[in-house]
Amino acid sequence: MSLQHVNAVANRLSLRPPQRDSLQILHRLCEIVDFRKETDVADAMKIIQSEFTQVEDFEREFPSLCFALATGVGKTRLMGAFIAYLNRAEGIKHFFVLAPNLTIYNKLVADFTPNTPKYVFQGIGEFAIEPPEVITGDNYESGRGVRGGRLFGDDVVHINIFNISKINSEVRGGNAPRIKRLSEYIGESYFEYLSKLDDLVLLMDESHRYRATAGAKAVNELKPILGLELTATPQIIRGSQATPFKNVIYSYPLASALDDGFVKEPAVATRENFNIRNFADEASLERLKLEDGIHIHEETKVQLDVYAREHDVCRVKPFMLVVAKDTEHAGQIRTFIESDDFFAGQYKGKVAEVHSNQRGEERDENVQRLLAVEDPNEPTEIVIHVDQLKEGWDVTNLYTIVPLRAFNSRTLIEQAIGRGLRLPYGRRVGIAAVDRLTIVSHDKFQEIIDEANRGDSIIRAGVVIGRDIPTTHSKAVTVPTILEQRLFGTPSMDGQPQQKPLFDTESEQKVSKATLEVIKQFERLPRSGDLQSEEVQQQIVERVAEAIKAVQPELPGMAEETDVKAIVAETTKQFVEMSFDIPRIVVIPSADAAFGYHDFDLDCRQIHLQPVSQEILIQHLHDHDRYRLQSTDRAANEQRLEDYLVRGLIDFDDISYDDHAELLYKLSGQLVAHLRSYLKDDEEVLNVLLFHNRQLVNAIYTQMQEHYYETSSSSEVKVTRGFTVFRPANLLVPQEETQRHFRTPVDEKRDIRRMIFGGFARCLYPQQKFGSDSERRFAVVLENDKDVLKWFKPTSEDARRLFQIYYRIGTEERHYEPDFVLETSAQKYLCEVKSKDEMNDPVVLAKADKAAEWCSHALAVGDKPWSYLLIPHDAIDESKTLAGLAATYTYTVQKKAARTP
């Protein structure tokens, strides 16, 4: 069985690498074990252990395996991927999803229901036509799980979602749960009906909650053919003892999620030079922590607003979580926060309080506010709770946590991380305040830092196990360019130089290396061939001589005789032969263009910054970076408050004081008026303008961009760089991996993405990695074709440096990375190899449109035309030539899809 179904599901659901790795493990399990009612559990364990040695026991009466993924990585989406794959590849149509509590149960029902914001099957074509039937603990008695099932011969996928806590409560006192009671409609219980299905697969969300409970024991009686468990904490806690699961087949711990940027960066905040002895009573310390939490919260709110405007994405409303000691304490905190003594009553009506003592309408109202807290139009900005936020409250907009109850440092870190790690945009965006979860803990600051630096801290600990990294380690391989090998004999990954270098003495190599560095200064030339002109060669020789002299001054009688001019000429010649002229293109309006900003009123609704009395220190727990909320230069006094904003705005290149002064002072005046509307006096206004100057200036500037206009009768393509000096490629491969010849076929059961290939004659790098066997076969076509002069596969880093090609999916802008770049005697190409089933995928076509547009611009400035090829995988075999593929699969924006032969 090929990886066709894995690739299709992974691509359509945009799975992250750990999710895809988990799906690929499931694919392998289905290859080696025949999961059926009759499958012998002991035999299945032996087969699985032969490849996955970390699995010790299923720990259930049926084959059951745990995928331990860190909070925030996406366990619900992975459940959707498991179901889509098993239906598509194995024909399985019956699934039972178990939730540990009502919160997660309600969330799962919503996420598996079509036309909801987080629908897990978005992009799965089969389910768009005929969505799965969702049977829940609330509607199964209607008979829908039977009426629409196999009993009557239809092929609709059934997804049963039940709450284990409800089943647990129903078995108390020796009673049978309702699901096991006789149903007159089908003549047996629904539970018995499910247990007789020959293809039932059980999925357990937060599976650490299903061990040694009466309801969980009853699950064994469902007799599923396979159990798939998902949790972030694969262990059973009894008192102070933690017993790890024995059935973990894949683990992706929080330390890895932090390293890979899939979750927020946790940080702890305190005042600089804080001394707890200065606080005689607990109330004054609590007030300080709450006030500082608000300072961080308001700065985060502005940063998120600016980011949303700059990138044209949905605005995220952050909120602050306050952890109270008990219900009485929670009420006191709420009264204080909503009082006029706390920032002049600014947070009245913006606080939700949730704890076990609430009953009736009050509790229902606050639970609804809690569930709606992600809605930017919902007013809640502060949530106060007492041990009521359990698993399943999967919000992405928690940014600040203020613990006001006693914790040990480890518990504080683990509970805080579990509540706030999810990223609102699904990835880090490179802005500290947007990517950070901050815990305000002046009194525990050093303890938390020490705990985070412990070897077994939840933030740093964790060994990734599983199929990709079972018992071996990866290694980084630096692959030199063919140019480096030709000039200096730089060894390949096996340590052996490929050929005798052109320059083998130390002095010659110094001159040649200096030449390559100097060539970078000439990247603005239209093409690399211009480097060989007499004038440019003279300039290069002079700069190389200066560079060598600066590093190693000549000593009388010690200098080695080297012909600098000849070495520069030969190095330049080799560079031109072994480089690739990829232009850096900018499209600019013609000289008659006019631009400016339409008049508008400033939207200040998201700005509620407060005066800051002292510096607040924030330290990241993972990478140790430090940040301060601090003022700008107080000495630069301005006559008007508006001037503090205007002076920052005119620093932007596209704002002219002479042309835009009237609008600048209008907007600045509106912001100053807004600050005066809620601050006590102009001293507080000045404090905010100084301490938060950058955020306020950016807030105005991003709104101005929404009203920017530009008129032009035509545009012109300009080249800012004619070529770019290639760098060595850095690749990650398994420790034991050795170079394979690119013509060697690859077993379809092996993961080609982890292999490294060599033996090329036309590639600009001696080794390359491929994302699929179709890509490897395309490389064979290129190496066979005598008309192909050179080619390479850009890494992600190369693609971002060499190509400024961006496409949009919804409101999100993404960078495009072509699979191959190549040159023939007459033309240059960007090439993409895709599965035949994906040729008309909207994302693939969005990439293709922008790549083809880039090629049309490059056509106007280069010495050879550029074309974009979008090639289906099944069109590639060794009988093909590049010209033949180009004749059929050249893509232009007008076509909107590649032609099929």
Side-chain angles (χ1 to χ4, degrees):
M1 190 186 299
S2 72
L3 290 174
Q4 174 189 352
H5 297 306
V6 171
N7 293 334
V9 172
N11 292 337
R12 291 177 186 181
L13 293 182
S14 300
L15 296 186
R16 291 169 164 175
Q19 295 167 319
R20 184 191 177 97
D21 293 343
S22 300
L23 186 61
Q24 199 157 326
I25 288 173
L26 176 60
H27 164 77
R28 183 57 183 157
L29 289 171
C30 291
E31 284 186 322
I32 61 178
V33 179
D34 183 14
F35 292 108
R36 294 183 299 168
K37 289 280 192 185
E38 303 78 21
T39 300
D40 184 273
V41 175
D43 289 345
M45 172 55 66
K46 289 178 184 177
I47 295 170
I48 290 172
Q49 284 183 326
S50 69
E51 289 200 24
F52 302 94
T53 56
Q54 66 272 22
V55 179
E56 300 176 43
D57 192 271
F58 291 137
E59 301 188 286
R60 302 191 188 275
E61 295 175 11
F62 52 88
S64 187
L65 296 155
C66 178
F67 294 80
L69 273 69
T71 297
V73 173
K75 293 188 287 296
T76 306
R77 179 166 289 261
L78 180 57
M79 277 197 288
F82 282 165
I83 290 172
Y85 170 81
L86 288 171
N87 173 247
R88 184 183 180 124
E90 302 295 326
I92 292 173
K93 294 181 174 61
H94 293 90
F95 300 89
F96 192 98
V97 180
L98 205 53
N101 56 41
L102 184 61
T103 303
I104 294 182
Y105 168 76
N106 289 331
K107 180 182 79 72
L108 287 172
V109 171
D111 290 349
F112 279 93
T113 301
N115 303 315
T116 53
K118 297 180 181 179
Y119 182 48
V120 295
F121 296 125
Q122 192 70 42
I124 301 296
E126 302 93 316
F127 291 165
I129 298 169
E130 192 167 29
E133 183 78 24
V134 177
I135 303 103
T136 72
D138 300 309
N139 67 21
Y140 75 94
E141 289 179 299
S142 68
R144 66 190 297 171
V146 178
R147 184 167 54 248
R150 273 188 178 176
L151 195 65
F152 295 104
D154 68 67
D155 288 332
V156 176
V157 172
H158 279 194
I159 301 176
N160 296 270
I161 304 176
F162 282 78
N163 176 9
I164 189 68
S165 65
K166 189 174 182 180
I167 296 176
N168 285 341
S169 66
E170 290 172 354
V171 300
R172 288 171 189 156
N175 296 320
R178 283 172 58 199
I179 192 175
K180 296 186 74 173
R181 297 171 193 168
L182 177 67
S183 167
E184 294 182 2
Y185 180 79
I186 58 175
E188 59 186 342
S189 71
Y190 186 58
F191 187 95
E192 188 177 357
Y193 165 74
L194 291 173
S195 69
K196 291 178 179 178
L197 294 172
D198 60 6
D199 67 343
L200 185 68
V201 171
L202 176 64
L203 295 101
M204 291 165 270
D205 195 10
E206 305 293 353
S207 64
H208 59 282
R209 302 283 294 274
Y210 313 129
R211 306 268 172 151
T213 66
K217 289 177 182 176
V219 167
N220 280 322
E221 298 175 22
L222 276 172
K223 302 174 185 175
I225 63 171
L226 174 64
L228 299 171
E229 306 182 22
L230 295 104
T231 181
T233 52
Q235 56 188 10
I236 304 169
I237 305 293
R238 293 188 179 93
S240 60
Q241 296 296 315
T243 305
F245 287 5
K246 295 180 180 180
N247 65 340
V248 176
I249 195 167
Y250 179 79
S251 175
Y252 185 79
L254 183 56
S256 298
L258 284 165
D259 288 338
D260 293 339
F262 292 144
V263 293
K264 292 189 189 111
E265 180 72 54
V268 61
T270 186
R271 290 280 177 115
E272 201 162 30
N273 300 316
F274 173 81
N275 188 342
I276 196 170
R277 296 188 185 91
N278 295 333
F279 295 85
D281 58 273
E282 191 174 11
S284 58
L285 178 58
E286 283 188 358
R287 177 168 186 149
L288 176 70
K289 291 167 78 171
L290 288 169
E291 288 176 349
D292 285 352
I294 289 296
H295 291 314
I296 295 167
H297 166 71
E298 289 295 341
E299 187 206 19
T300 303
K301 189 160 66 173
V302 173
Q303 293 274 17
L304 283 164
D305 187 50
V306 169
Y307 177 81
R309 293 175 186 274
E310 285 181 340
H311 295 84
D312 193 24
V313 293
C314 295
R315 179 175 65 85
V316 173
K317 177 204 69 177
F319 75 95
M320 182 173 88
L321 178 66
V322 180
V323 186
K325 302 173 189 173
D326 50 42
T327 56
E328 182 182 355
H329 187 222
Q332 293 170 353
I333 294 169
R334 180 173 187 168
T335 300
F336 171 62
I337 289 176
E338 293 193 315
S339 72
D340 291 336
D341 291 336
F342 190 75
F343 296 105
Q346 183 179 316
Y347 298 96
K348 285 181 182 177
K350 299 180 180 180
V351 183
E353 180 187 350
V354 183
H355 53 73
S356 56
N357 279 3
Q358 292 175 330
R359 292 290 182 271
E361 291 184 9
E362 180 189 22
R363 178 172 175 80
D364 291 343
E365 177 193 347
N366 281 301
V367 168
Q368 287 305 311
R369 293 183 69 175
L370 201 62
L371 295 175
V373 75
E374 283 184 300
D375 184 349
N377 299 313
E378 200 278 331
T380 303
E381 292 191 44
I382 300 170
V383 173
I384 305 170
H385 88 104
V386 183
D387 289 339
Q388 286 296 299
L389 304 183
K390 307 299 183 185
E391 298 105 335
W393 191 52
D394 295 337
V395 295
T396 61
N397 59 332
L398 173 55
Y399 273 89
T400 309
I401 299 175
V402 182
L404 299 181
R405 56 166 288 189
F407 283 94
N408 68 54
S409 301
R410 189 179 190 88
T411 303
L412 174 58
I413 291 173
E414 293 186 6
Q415 291 195 2
I417 279 178
R419 298 283 66 80
L421 279 182
R422 289 174 176 81
L423 289 160
Y425 296 111
R427 57 183 175 82
R428 291 185 190 165
V429 299
I431 300 170
V434 178
D435 295 337
R436 183 174 60 215
L437 169 68
T438 305
I439 308 165
V440 181
S441 188
H442 305 67
D443 48 334
K444 294 279 187 178
F445 180 81
Q446 190 57 52
E447 290 179 40
I448 295 173
I449 294 295
D450 291 343
E451 178 62 35
N453 289 330
R454 283 165 52 97
D456 61 346
S457 166
I458 189 171
I459 291 178
R460 293 195 165 275
V463 177
V464 178
I465 59 174
R467 178 181 174 186
D468 278 350
I469 312 176
T471 54
T472 60
H473 297 271
S474 294
K475 61 182 177 183
V477 175
T478 300
V479 180
T481 63
I482 288 293
L483 176 65
E484 288 176 289
Q485 287 199 331
R486 184 177 292 185
L487 294 176
F488 316 120
T490 307
S492 60
M493 68 175 289
D494 58 7
Q496 297 299 317
Q498 296 291 314
Q499 59 186 28
K500 185 179 185 302
L502 286 173
F503 306 116
D504 51 10
T505 69
E506 183 180 355
S507 58
E508 288 176 338
Q509 289 195 6
K510 282 181 180 178
V511 174
S512 184
K513 289 177 180 178
T515 302
L516 292 178
E517 286 299 312
V518 170
I519 283 174
K520 294 178 183 178
Q521 302 169 23
F522 292 85
E523 288 180 340
R524 294 188 180 276
L525 290 173
R527 55 191 59 83
S528 61
D530 295 338
L531 291 166
Q532 294 179 290
S533 71
E534 185 175 342
E535 179 183 354
V536 174
Q537 279 288 288
Q538 182 59 37
Q539 293 179 48
I540 295 174
V541 169
E542 292 172 359
R543 295 184 190 185
V544 167
E546 290 174 7
I548 295 172
K549 191 174 181 180
V551 174
Q552 187 173 355
E554 238 177 70
L555 296 176
M558 298 292 291
E560 216 176 306
E561 286 293 322
T562 53
D563 187 343
V564 173
K565 185 175 181 180
I567 295 172
V568 167
E570 183 59 26
T571 301
T572 305
K573 175 189 171 189
Q574 295 296 329
F575 175 82
V576 172
E577 286 182 10
M578 303 307 301
S579 68
F580 210 113
D581 287 6
I582 300 172
R584 180 77 61 88
I585 295 170
V586 177
V587 181
I588 60 174
S590 59
D592 62 349
F595 69 93
Y597 299 92
H598 294 297
D599 185 42
F600 71 98
D601 291 320
L602 195 69
D603 180 0
C604 300
R605 288 175 296 175
Q606 301 304 316
I607 299 173
H608 293 283
L609 295 165
Q610 299 294 330
V612 179
S613 57
Q614 300 179 41
E615 289 187 342
I616 299 174
L617 177 68
I618 299 173
Q619 178 161 332
H620 283 188
L621 299 182
H622 182 61
D623 58 14
H624 310 296
D625 281 353
R626 285 191 167 201
Y627 296 85
R628 289 177 175 81
L629 301 184
Q630 59 184 2
S631 71
T632 54
D633 182 10
R634 289 177 176 271
N637 293 321
E638 299 287 353
Q639 293 183 352
R640 301 164 57 184
L641 292 175
E642 291 85 347
D643 290 337
Y644 289 97
L645 299 169
V646 173
R647 75 180 186 186
L649 289 166
I650 61 177
D651 286 338
F652 289 102
D653 292 338
D654 53 349
I655 293 181
S656 163
Y657 180 83
D658 293 334
D659 296 335
H660 307 130
E662 183 177 352
L663 180 61
L664 295 179
Y665 273 103
K666 173 190 169 179
L667 300 176
S668 299
Q670 289 176 343
L671 181 52
V672 169
H674 172 71
L675 296 176
R676 282 173 169 158
S677 72
Y678 69 87
L679 295 174
K680 185 170 62 178
D681 51 36
D682 278 2
E683 277 299 311
E684 288 196 348
V685 173
L686 177 60
N687 179 294
V688 170
L689 289 173
L690 288 169
F691 273 87
H692 303 286
N693 186 263
R694 177 173 56 83
Q695 298 96 303
L696 292 173
V697 167
N698 285 344
I700 297 175
Y701 179 69
T702 53
Q703 291 193 42
M704 289 179 67
Q705 295 308 300
E706 297 172 11
H707 299 274
Y708 178 80
Y709 68 83
E710 182 177 297
T711 61
S712 175
S713 59
S714 62
S715 61
E716 184 180 358
V717 176
K718 289 285 188 182
V719 178
T720 60
R721 288 185 182 179
F723 60 91
T724 302
V725 176
F726 280 23
R727 300 173 181 173
N730 295 299
L731 308 176
L732 200 64
V733 297
Q735 189 72 44
E736 74 281 3
E737 179 68 11
T738 56
Q739 177 179 302
R740 305 161 190 263
H741 197 278
F742 73 97
R743 294 186 186 276
T744 304
V746 176
D747 185 337
E748 61 182 16
K749 295 181 181 179
R750 302 292 301 278
D751 187 356
I752 194 172
R753 296 170 302 159
R754 305 196 71 217
M755 302 175 184
I756 193 164
F757 296 84
F760 309 108
R762 307 179 196 278
C763 184
L764 296 182
Y765 289 91
Q767 284 91 31
Q768 294 274 229
K769 291 181 73 176
F770 300 110
S772 66
D773 194 55
S774 302
E775 290 185 4
R776 181 195 65 81
R777 287 186 282 110
F778 185 66
V780 174
V781 171
L782 299 181
E783 289 289 311
N784 288 345
D785 196 330
K786 291 183 171 55
D787 194 42
V788 175
L789 301 178
K790 45 197 168 187
W791 66 272
F792 73 103
K793 274 183 62 62
T795 63
S796 294
E797 181 185 358
D798 284 336
R800 292 188 179 278
R801 198 166 51 88
L802 298 172
F803 298 99
Q804 285 67 53
I805 304 176
Y806 295 90
Y807 65 100
R808 279 191 177 276
I809 297 298
T811 58
E812 183 183 359
E813 188 176 73
R814 303 178 186 176
H815 184 263
Y816 171 60
E817 302 169 10
D819 285 343
F820 291 81
V821 185
L822 58 104
E823 182 177 352
T824 68
S825 55
Q827 195 152 351
K828 297 178 182 178
Y829 296 89
L830 300 183
C831 302
E832 186 81 11
V833 177
K834 281 294 175 191
S835 165
K836 181 182 179 181
D837 296 337
E838 297 176 58
M839 291 294 284
N840 292 312
D841 182 89
V843 175
V844 172
L845 296 181
K847 294 177 182 178
D849 280 346
K850 290 301 180 182
E853 182 180 339
W854 185 94
C855 288
S856 68
H857 292 319
L859 175 65
V861 298
D863 55 346
K864 291 180 181 179
W866 285 79
S867 294
Y868 180 70
L869 306 186
L870 180 59
I871 309 169
H873 77 284
D874 59 353
I876 301 170
D877 61 56
E878 293 194 38
S879 69
K880 299 295 193 298
T881 63
L882 181 66
L885 291 170
T888 307
Y889 298 105
T890 296
Y891 182 100
T892 60
V893 179
Q894 291 76 23
K895 291 181 183 178
K896 296 298 181 188
R899 296 194 305 271
T900 356

